[in-house]
Amino acid sequence: MIQAVRGMNDLWPETLVHWQRIEAIARDVLGQYGFREIRLPIVERTELFARSIGSHTDIVEKEMYSFELDGERLTLRPEGTAGAVRAGIAQGLLHNQIQRWWYAGPMFRHERPQKGRYRQFHQIGAEAFGAGGPDIDAEMILLTATLWKALGLEGLRLEVNTLGTPSARADYRARLVAYLRLRFEELDEDSRRRLESNPLRVLDSKNPDMTSVIQSAPSLLDFLDDASRRHFEELQQLLRRVGVDYTVNPRLVRGLDYYTRTVFEWLTDRLGAQSAVCAGGRYDGLVELLGGKPTSALGFALGLERLVELLVQSAPMALEEVPQVYVVPTTEAQAASALLLAEALRARGLRVECHFGGGSLKSQMKRADKTGARYAVLLERGDQAVVKDLRGDAGQRTIAPAEIGDYLSARLSAGAGQQT
């Protein structure tokens, strides 16, 4: 038997209904904020990610799925921002323009699979170009808060930080490296490897043995230039005024080299080690780095697998996946009538499943009950049918097939609050 590739999972109807709900609500919320959908290639040139993410990051060094074909070095995308910037530059859509785009789809990283972290994972991302002030930062964060509310998710907490400008971060990097060298014997293997290539990532270590080292490290906030400090202070004022609670975490860094100034994460305590469900920030230098004109930019990405897990914990079975009506032809002669009735009910917008394969009435009703349908319709000999309430206290009623559509539509409409 051929197994699925490790870290790449099949998705089934029982969970896909949660995916579809997130995607539909995200589409609506993003549209309300003026974002338009774009669709980008899954395969890009490897150089795109080496230049944007950073050649010394874990992603580029160890985690990308790269291969050579027809003399080109290609990579399955590990994230979405670089592709969006590449596309915008190629089409001349970024310089001196305001653009708001969103996208969704699979990303690929060869990480150690664990709950909430997979080698093929899915994101919804949003990117905004052409606005450099803290007001757009605040609106992007407010957008994510609106999305959690629309999804009915509670208990997520927001952490924010600023990474300052590249020059300020270079001064801080030198100070941090000097500090970490003094405590070299206390560093774990990953931190020692990152010390020269990407020392800020040491601050993001999840190793509890590193807690003391990290907590005593110099703070990047002490190295900010005046413009970055004002930007961050104004962002915090805006968040307070629009009612978004947050915590400043001076140790919050992002694993991608292109971030500048504002960074943020939404976290949960309900998913174990993989606590971040959404993260983002500014990347004001990336467009120029990839060959475009200097352009302010920021974005975020949310992890669909992690959001789905939160929704499953809250509501393991979504009613949207359950048929409302199950049609049972009690004899072979009723098969065509059952198909026609099911089609007529679907034309009214109802979710209908029709029984196939015959069997005893008892087995047919067991199947009807197993689907979770609210009503079963039993087509009997002659011009009569029985409508049976499988979930409520309405019992059963004998009714002419021509009247079933009106009857069920009225019943299901009256109970819409319980049925959807």
Side-chain angles (χ1 to χ4, degrees):
M1 180 175 66
I2 299 175
Q3 300 286 341
V5 176
R6 186 170 182 241
M8 301 187 181
N9 301 318
D10 303 308
L11 300 174
W12 299 98
E14 291 76 13
T15 54
L16 270 176
V17 65
H18 296 289
W19 288 69
Q20 292 160 353
R21 179 174 175 235
I22 293 171
E23 290 163 352
I25 291 176
R27 179 184 294 275
D28 288 343
V29 171
L30 286 160
Q32 290 171 353
Y33 281 78
F35 285 79
R36 298 182 297 165
E37 184 182 10
I38 59 172
R39 300 193 181 187
L40 302 168
I42 291 175
V43 178
E44 298 273 9
R45 288 185 170 85
T46 302
E47 179 189 10
L48 174 66
F49 303 113
R51 289 174 60 186
S52 61
I53 297 173
S55 58
H56 294 297
T57 59
D58 286 353
I59 294 173
V60 173
E61 285 185 339
K62 302 188 300 182
E63 298 172 0
M64 294 201 311
Y65 284 88
S66 298
F67 56 95
E68 189 168 317
L69 187 65
D70 295 334
E72 288 188 297
R73 191 69 178 163
L74 306 173
T75 294
L76 299 180
R77 63 185 183 192
E79 60 94 43
T81 298
V85 172
R86 189 252 333 134
I89 294 172
Q91 298 299 319
L93 298 175
L94 301 183
H95 183 54
N96 286 336
Q97 300 180 58
I98 299 291
Q99 299 287 359
R100 298 180 182 221
W101 299 331
W102 73 270
Y103 50 84
M107 311 292 167
F108 302 84
R109 297 183 192 177
H110 193 268
E111 300 181 288
R112 182 172 63 86
Q114 53 186 294
K115 185 176 182 181
R117 173 169 287 181
Y118 307 104
R119 290 176 174 175
Q120 177 176 308
F121 58 99
H122 298 76
Q123 291 184 339
I124 294 175
E127 317 290 350
F129 300 93
D135 48 357
I136 185 67
D137 301 22
E139 186 183 70
M140 289 283 271
I141 293 172
L142 184 60
L143 186 164
T144 56
T146 301
L147 180 57
W148 313 146
K149 184 176 181 180
L151 289 169
L153 291 175
E154 299 179 348
L156 297 180
R157 67 182 188 279
L158 172 66
E159 292 186 352
V160 299
N161 192 24
T162 180
L163 301 181
T165 61
S167 59
R169 197 158 64 249
D171 293 341
Y172 173 68
R173 183 185 187 279
R175 178 69 176 273
L176 179 63
V177 168
Y179 163 78
L180 293 173
R181 283 175 177 161
L182 291 175
R183 303 190 65 168
F184 185 82
E185 296 302 321
E186 301 175 61
L187 303 183
D188 59 16
E189 183 179 346
D190 275 349
S191 297
R192 291 179 180 183
R193 180 175 54 81
R194 291 167 171 162
L195 180 57
E196 298 300 333
S197 61
N198 198 359
L200 269 68
R201 289 292 288 159
V202 174
L203 302 177
D204 198 37
S205 173
K206 302 301 188 291
N207 185 347
D209 295 335
M210 290 285 296
T211 301
S212 175
V213 175
I214 294 171
Q215 292 300 323
S216 300
S219 173
L220 177 55
L221 298 180
D222 295 331
F223 290 79
L224 294 179
D225 56 287
D226 291 341
S228 293
R229 184 174 287 106
R230 285 195 303 272
H231 187 106
F232 192 46
E233 289 172 352
E234 290 173 16
L235 169 63
Q236 293 179 72
Q237 291 174 7
L238 287 167
L239 292 177
R240 288 193 294 268
R241 291 189 65 179
V242 298
V244 177
D245 294 330
Y246 68 92
T247 300
V248 174
N249 177 3
R251 310 302 179 194
L252 174 61
V253 296
R254 304 293 303 130
L256 312 178
D257 279 0
Y258 54 61
Y259 281 109
T260 59
R261 293 190 177 177
T262 303
V263 290
F264 65 90
E265 288 187 351
W266 285 95
L267 306 168
T268 178
D269 296 324
R270 294 161 51 191
L271 297 178
Q274 306 308 317
S275 58
V277 298
C278 175
R282 279 203 161 271
Y283 50 93
D284 291 334
L286 183 57
V287 176
E288 185 176 12
L289 178 66
L290 293 180
K293 301 285 182 64
T295 302
S296 299
L298 75 157
F300 68 81
L302 56 88
L304 279 170
E305 281 85 353
R306 297 180 189 180
L307 285 180
V308 167
E309 179 61 28
L310 291 177
L311 287 181
V312 169
Q313 290 179 14
S314 303
M317 189 169 189
L319 290 174
E320 290 88 345
E321 73 177 321
V322 176
Q324 296 165 302
V325 182
Y326 193 88
V327 179
V328 179
T330 58
T331 67
E332 291 184 12
Q334 295 289 348
S337 297
L339 291 173
L340 289 171
L341 175 61
E343 287 298 293
L345 296 177
R346 291 175 186 132
R348 290 173 172 263
L350 303 182
R351 299 187 300 274
V352 183
E353 186 170 332
C354 201
H355 182 85
F356 299 110
S360 67
L361 181 59
K362 181 178 180 180
S363 67
Q364 291 175 346
M365 294 307 296
K366 284 182 67 174
R367 172 60 188 163
D369 185 64
K370 189 176 180 180
T371 66
R374 173 66 188 270
Y375 292 99
V377 178
L378 288 72
L379 293 179
E380 300 180 331
R381 291 183 178 88
D383 194 27
Q384 292 295 316
V386 173
V387 178
K388 186 172 183 178
D389 187 346
L390 300 177
R391 303 283 174 255
D393 55 7
Q396 64 184 45
R397 175 176 175 176
T398 301
I399 188 171
E403 300 174 7
I404 290 175
D406 290 338
Y407 176 75
L408 289 176
S409 294
R411 297 285 299 182
L412 289 167
S413 177
Q418 290 76 41
Q419 296 302 307
T420 58

